[in-house]
């Protein structure tokens, strides 16, 4: 959580300096995930759903970040993206390890309600 707060604070500073307006809304795809996670009552199913979705969302963010880095060879925003992309790759590795462990421990967990 502290890494996420640092990330958001750093992003806000870079955006302010570059006069970039950050989105203030949650898109329909994220709203759907938010709604789904609220109705899961089984703790193991909740954990599995969370891990699957965080892995997917973070992997998408990494792909977009790498595309940005390919197109932008210098600048403050590039430095910020470059610095944080590695952290998120590490995060995806940890999420994947947790998923593998859960699958071994209880492969029958379902996130369907």
């Amino acid at each position: 959580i502290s890494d996420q707060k640092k990330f958001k604070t750093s992003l806000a500073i870079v955006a302010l300096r570059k006069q970039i307006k950050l989105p203030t809304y949650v898109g329909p795809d994220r709203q759907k995930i938010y709604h789904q996670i609220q109705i899961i009552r089984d703790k193991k199913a909740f954990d599995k759903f969370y891990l699957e979705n965080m892995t997917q969302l973070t992997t998408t963010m990494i792909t977009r970040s790498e595309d940005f880095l390919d197109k932008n060879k210098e600048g403050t925003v590039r430095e910020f993206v470059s610095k944080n992309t590695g952290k998120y790759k590490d995060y995806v590795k940890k999420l994947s390890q947790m998923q593998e462990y859960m699958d071994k421990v209880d492969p029958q967990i379902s996130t369907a309600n």
Side-chain angles (χ1 to χ4, degrees), residues 39-95:
I39 60 176
I40 297 173
R41 298 294 174 231
D42 179 77
K43 290 178 184 179
K44 289 181 182 179
F46 177 93
D47 289 347
K48 184 175 177 85
F49 183 87
Y50 177 84
L51 289 171
E52 289 170 353
N53 282 279
M54 285 307 296
T55 300
Q56 178 189 21
L57 294 172
T58 307
T59 300
T60 299
M61 186 174 63
I62 290 168
T63 300
R64 290 179 180 167
S65 296
E66 288 174 337
D67 289 346
F68 176 86
L69 293 172
D70 286 344
K71 294 175 186 171
N72 299 276
K73 300 301 180 192
E74 57 186 65
T76 307
V77 176
R78 186 190 196 290
E79 291 172 22
F80 175 82
V81 172
S82 179
K83 175 183 169 185
N84 287 288
T85 299
K87 291 178 183 179
Y88 282 100
K89 286 181 179 180
D90 291 340
Y91 182 56
V92 168
K93 286 179 189 175
K94 290 176 185 175
L95 290 170

Side-chain angles (χ1 to χ4, degrees), residues 3 10 17-18 22 30-31 35 39 46 53 55 64 69 74 87 91 93 99-100 105-106 111-113:
D3 281 348
S10 298
R17 286 181 184 157
K18 294 293 181 177
L22 297 174
R30 303 297 192 271
Q31 287 177 351
H35 173 72
I39 60 176
F46 177 93
N53 282 279
T55 300
R64 290 179 180 167
L69 293 172
E74 57 186 65
K87 291 178 183 179
Y91 182 56
K93 286 179 189 175
Q99 279 182 301
E100 288 174 16
V105 172
D106 196 348
T111 56
N113 281 316

